[in-house]
Amino acid sequence: MQKLTAHPDSQNLTVFDFNYIDPDDAAKTLKITLKTLPEKDVDDPNATFMLINSIYEEAANEGIEVADIIADYTGGTKSMTAGLILACAQPERRLQFMRPGGYTDDGRADLKLDSIATEVKVSFRLKAVR
């Protein structure tokens, strides 16, 4: 059964869990978890950085491999994107954005066309100075 549930977590973030079971093969499942930043933190790259790192820690505790996670920076604020990219700069962390399938004459994404998931390769070893 497909079901989207929302609940608060220990950091008072809203968490949306979506579990999908392939109707043709019940052994194939997909779990998607979305966490929302509090409104006061949407322009704080450090808050996003810490949130993303906590997601990777939770995943490791659940036995989920880093290679099975992909972070998507489509649609966030510039500060969210900065925090997410910094958190995913490690070579083993995967990153993507949704590239428009085409553009209108005025240069905007054509919303009538499907977007294309586009993986971005970033590979740095960063260390916080504070």
Side-chain angles (χ1 to χ4, degrees):
M1 171 174 229
Q2 298 177 32
K3 187 170 134 180
L4 181 68
T5 58
H7 55 87
D9 76 353
S10 61
Q11 300 169 320
N12 291 321
L13 300 172
T14 302
V15 178
F16 297 91
D17 288 319
F18 177 77
N19 294 301
Y20 174 78
I21 300 171
D22 186 328
D24 298 324
D25 184 353
K28 291 182 181 177
T29 62
L30 175 67
K31 177 183 178 187
I32 299 173
T33 300
L34 306 171
K35 294 189 175 192
T36 62
L37 280 172
E39 189 173 339
K40 67 178 182 55
D41 291 335
V42 297
D43 290 314
D44 181 355
N46 291 309
T48 301
F49 178 83
M50 290 185 293
L51 173 62
I52 298 302
N53 283 326
S54 74
I55 290 169
Y56 279 95
E57 287 173 22
E58 286 176 30
N61 291 337
E62 290 187 30
I64 299 170
E65 299 290 327
V66 172
D68 292 332
I69 301 168
I70 191 158
D72 189 306
Y73 60 90
T74 306
T77 65
K78 290 173 180 66
S79 296
M80 287 174 167
T81 298
L84 188 140
I85 289 174
L86 287 171
C88 292
Q90 299 174 28
E92 60 275 6
R93 291 188 177 177
R94 297 172 62 207
L95 230 121
Q96 79 173 27
F97 72 99
M98 297 304 291
R99 184 170 45 88
Y103 296 90
T104 61
D105 291 339
D106 63 357
R108 297 177 187 262
D110 188 337
L111 301 179
K112 296 177 197 157
L113 300 174
D114 290 335
S115 295
I116 303 157
T118 305
E119 191 162 354
V120 177
K121 301 289 185 189
V122 179
S123 182
F124 295 95
R125 292 284 180 200
L126 303 174
K127 186 171 92 173
V129 293
R130 326 183 220 159

PDB file of all heavy atoms in Angstrom, residues 70-88:
ATOM      1  N   ILE A  70      20.293   9.537  -2.243  1.00  0.00           N
ATOM      2  CA  ILE A  70      20.643  10.646  -3.129  1.00  0.00           C
ATOM      3  C   ILE A  70      19.925  11.891  -2.625  1.00  0.00           C
ATOM      4  O   ILE A  70      18.741  11.859  -2.318  1.00  0.00           O
ATOM      5  CB  ILE A  70      20.320  10.340  -4.607  1.00  0.00           C
ATOM      6  CG1 ILE A  70      20.948  11.389  -5.515  1.00  0.00           C
ATOM      7  CG2 ILE A  70      18.846  10.184  -4.853  1.00  0.00           C
ATOM      8  CD1 ILE A  70      21.156  10.952  -6.938  1.00  0.00           C
ATOM      9  N   ALA A  71      20.680  12.963  -2.479  1.00  0.00           N
ATOM     10  CA  ALA A  71      20.128  14.233  -2.009  1.00  0.00           C
ATOM     11  C   ALA A  71      19.830  15.101  -3.221  1.00  0.00           C
ATOM     12  O   ALA A  71      20.664  15.241  -4.112  1.00  0.00           O
ATOM     13  CB  ALA A  71      21.126  14.925  -1.080  1.00  0.00           C
ATOM     14  N   ASP A  72      18.644  15.685  -3.240  1.00  0.00           N
ATOM     15  CA  ASP A  72      18.199  16.493  -4.371  1.00  0.00           C
ATOM     16  C   ASP A  72      18.061  17.942  -3.924  1.00  0.00           C
ATOM     17  O   ASP A  72      17.337  18.234  -2.984  1.00  0.00           O
ATOM     18  CB  ASP A  72      16.865  15.959  -4.895  1.00  0.00           C
ATOM     19  CG  ASP A  72      16.453  16.617  -6.193  1.00  0.00           C
ATOM     20  OD1 ASP A  72      16.402  17.869  -6.242  1.00  0.00           O
ATOM     21  OD2 ASP A  72      16.174  15.892  -7.155  1.00  0.00           O
ATOM     22  N   TYR A  73      18.751  18.832  -4.602  1.00  0.00           N
ATOM     23  CA  TYR A  73      18.712  20.246  -4.210  1.00  0.00           C
ATOM     24  C   TYR A  73      17.774  21.098  -5.064  1.00  0.00           C
ATOM     25  O   TYR A  73      17.826  22.316  -5.037  1.00  0.00           O
ATOM     26  CB  TYR A  73      20.120  20.854  -4.156  1.00  0.00           C
ATOM     27  CG  TYR A  73      20.917  20.835  -5.429  1.00  0.00           C
ATOM     28  CD1 TYR A  73      20.849  21.881  -6.341  1.00  0.00           C
ATOM     29  CD2 TYR A  73      21.785  19.789  -5.703  1.00  0.00           C
ATOM     30  CE1 TYR A  73      21.615  21.878  -7.491  1.00  0.00           C
ATOM     31  CE2 TYR A  73      22.557  19.776  -6.851  1.00  0.00           C
ATOM     32  CZ  TYR A  73      22.469  20.829  -7.739  1.00  0.00           C
ATOM     33  OH  TYR A  73      23.230  20.821  -8.872  1.00  0.00           O
ATOM     34  N   THR A  74      16.867  20.457  -5.761  1.00  0.00           N
ATOM     35  CA  THR A  74      15.891  21.191  -6.565  1.00  0.00           C
ATOM     36  C   THR A  74      14.917  21.922  -5.653  1.00  0.00           C
ATOM     37  O   THR A  74      14.361  21.331  -4.732  1.00  0.00           O
ATOM     38  CB  THR A  74      15.090  20.213  -7.455  1.00  0.00           C
ATOM     39  OG1 THR A  74      15.994  19.430  -8.215  1.00  0.00           O
ATOM     40  CG2 THR A  74      14.129  20.952  -8.367  1.00  0.00           C
ATOM     41  N   GLY A  75      14.710  23.193  -5.886  1.00  0.00           N
ATOM     42  CA  GLY A  75      13.623  23.920  -5.243  1.00  0.00           C
ATOM     43  C   GLY A  75      13.895  24.523  -3.879  1.00  0.00           C
ATOM     44  O   GLY A  75      13.042  25.206  -3.337  1.00  0.00           O
ATOM     45  N   GLY A  76      15.047  24.310  -3.303  1.00  0.00           N
ATOM     46  CA  GLY A  76      15.339  24.914  -2.001  1.00  0.00           C
ATOM     47  C   GLY A  76      15.808  26.351  -2.166  1.00  0.00           C
ATOM     48  O   GLY A  76      16.031  26.831  -3.280  1.00  0.00           O
ATOM     49  N   THR A  77      15.976  27.033  -1.036  1.00  0.00           N
ATOM     50  CA  THR A  77      16.556  28.379  -1.083  1.00  0.00           C
ATOM     51  C   THR A  77      18.037  28.251  -1.434  1.00  0.00           C
ATOM     52  O   THR A  77      18.619  27.165  -1.368  1.00  0.00           O
ATOM     53  CB  THR A  77      16.425  29.094   0.276  1.00  0.00           C
ATOM     54  OG1 THR A  77      17.219  28.383   1.242  1.00  0.00           O
ATOM     55  CG2 THR A  77      14.980  29.178   0.747  1.00  0.00           C
ATOM     56  N   LYS A  78      18.658  29.349  -1.791  1.00  0.00           N
ATOM     57  CA  LYS A  78      20.090  29.325  -2.091  1.00  0.00           C
ATOM     58  C   LYS A  78      20.879  28.853  -0.876  1.00  0.00           C
ATOM     59  O   LYS A  78      21.847  28.099  -0.997  1.00  0.00           O
ATOM     60  CB  LYS A  78      20.545  30.707  -2.547  1.00  0.00           C
ATOM     61  CG  LYS A  78      20.012  31.085  -3.925  1.00  0.00           C
ATOM     62  CD  LYS A  78      20.342  32.532  -4.254  1.00  0.00           C
ATOM     63  CE  LYS A  78      19.826  32.936  -5.609  1.00  0.00           C
ATOM     64  NZ  LYS A  78      18.384  32.964  -5.711  1.00  0.00           N
ATOM     65  N   SER A  79      20.460  29.269   0.312  1.00  0.00           N
ATOM     66  CA  SER A  79      21.147  28.860   1.539  1.00  0.00           C
ATOM     67  C   SER A  79      20.983  27.366   1.793  1.00  0.00           C
ATOM     68  O   SER A  79      21.927  26.693   2.232  1.00  0.00           O
ATOM     69  CB  SER A  79      20.620  29.651   2.732  1.00  0.00           C
ATOM     70  OG  SER A  79      20.920  31.017   2.570  1.00  0.00           O
ATOM     71  N   MET A  80      19.796  26.830   1.525  1.00  0.00           N
ATOM     72  CA  MET A  80      19.581  25.386   1.662  1.00  0.00           C
ATOM     73  C   MET A  80      20.486  24.631   0.702  1.00  0.00           C
ATOM     74  O   MET A  80      21.106  23.625   1.064  1.00  0.00           O
ATOM     75  CB  MET A  80      18.126  25.019   1.357  1.00  0.00           C
ATOM     76  CG  MET A  80      17.140  25.414   2.389  1.00  0.00           C
ATOM     77  SD  MET A  80      15.502  25.030   1.702  1.00  0.00           S
ATOM     78  CE  MET A  80      14.508  25.166   3.162  1.00  0.00           C
ATOM     79  N   THR A  81      20.565  25.094  -0.539  1.00  0.00           N
ATOM     80  CA  THR A  81      21.408  24.448  -1.536  1.00  0.00           C
ATOM     81  C   THR A  81      22.859  24.457  -1.083  1.00  0.00           C
ATOM     82  O   THR A  81      23.557  23.442  -1.187  1.00  0.00           O
ATOM     83  CB  THR A  81      21.254  25.138  -2.904  1.00  0.00           C
ATOM     84  OG1 THR A  81      19.891  25.008  -3.328  1.00  0.00           O
ATOM     85  CG2 THR A  81      22.173  24.532  -3.951  1.00  0.00           C
ATOM     86  N   ALA A  82      23.326  25.590  -0.552  1.00  0.00           N
ATOM     87  CA  ALA A  82      24.712  25.675  -0.081  1.00  0.00           C
ATOM     88  C   ALA A  82      24.964  24.656   1.025  1.00  0.00           C
ATOM     89  O   ALA A  82      25.960  23.923   0.995  1.00  0.00           O
ATOM     90  CB  ALA A  82      25.008  27.091   0.411  1.00  0.00           C
ATOM     91  N   GLY A  83      24.080  24.576   2.002  1.00  0.00           N
ATOM     92  CA  GLY A  83      24.244  23.626   3.096  1.00  0.00           C
ATOM     93  C   GLY A  83      24.199  22.186   2.624  1.00  0.00           C
ATOM     94  O   GLY A  83      24.984  21.344   3.069  1.00  0.00           O
ATOM     95  N   LEU A  84      23.289  21.886   1.709  1.00  0.00           N
ATOM     96  CA  LEU A  84      23.162  20.519   1.191  1.00  0.00           C
ATOM     97  C   LEU A  84      24.395  20.123   0.399  1.00  0.00           C
ATOM     98  O   LEU A  84      24.925  19.026   0.562  1.00  0.00           O
ATOM     99  CB  LEU A  84      21.907  20.407   0.330  1.00  0.00           C
ATOM    100  CG  LEU A  84      21.551  18.999  -0.112  1.00  0.00           C
ATOM    101  CD1 LEU A  84      20.051  18.789  -0.054  1.00  0.00           C
ATOM    102  CD2 LEU A  84      22.049  18.724  -1.489  1.00  0.00           C
ATOM    103  N   ILE A  85      24.887  21.003  -0.446  1.00  0.00           N
ATOM    104  CA  ILE A  85      26.069  20.679  -1.242  1.00  0.00           C
ATOM    105  C   ILE A  85      27.291  20.499  -0.348  1.00  0.00           C
ATOM    106  O   ILE A  85      28.090  19.581  -0.551  1.00  0.00           O
ATOM    107  CB  ILE A  85      26.294  21.728  -2.351  1.00  0.00           C
ATOM    108  CG1 ILE A  85      25.201  21.551  -3.420  1.00  0.00           C
ATOM    109  CG2 ILE A  85      27.690  21.603  -2.963  1.00  0.00           C
ATOM    110  CD1 ILE A  85      25.193  22.586  -4.500  1.00  0.00           C
ATOM    111  N   LEU A  86      27.433  21.343   0.665  1.00  0.00           N
ATOM    112  CA  LEU A  86      28.557  21.169   1.591  1.00  0.00           C
ATOM    113  C   LEU A  86      28.457  19.831   2.319  1.00  0.00           C
ATOM    114  O   LEU A  86      29.457  19.130   2.491  1.00  0.00           O
ATOM    115  CB  LEU A  86      28.606  22.322   2.595  1.00  0.00           C
ATOM    116  CG  LEU A  86      29.087  23.659   2.025  1.00  0.00           C
ATOM    117  CD1 LEU A  86      28.878  24.771   3.035  1.00  0.00           C
ATOM    118  CD2 LEU A  86      30.550  23.565   1.607  1.00  0.00           C
ATOM    119  N   ALA A  87      27.255  19.463   2.733  1.00  0.00           N
ATOM    120  CA  ALA A  87      27.074  18.178   3.437  1.00  0.00           C
ATOM    121  C   ALA A  87      27.320  16.993   2.519  1.00  0.00           C
ATOM    122  O   ALA A  87      27.721  15.931   2.979  1.00  0.00           O
ATOM    123  CB  ALA A  87      25.664  18.106   4.037  1.00  0.00           C
ATOM    124  N   CYS A  88      27.099  17.175   1.235  1.00  0.00           N
ATOM    125  CA  CYS A  88      27.239  16.067   0.276  1.00  0.00           C
ATOM    126  C   CYS A  88      28.519  16.167  -0.550  1.00  0.00           C
ATOM    127  O   CYS A  88      28.644  15.499  -1.575  1.00  0.00           O
ATOM    128  CB  CYS A  88      26.025  16.028  -0.641  1.00  0.00           C
ATOM    129  SG  CYS A  88      24.523  15.571   0.233  1.00  0.00           S
TER     130      CYS A  88
END
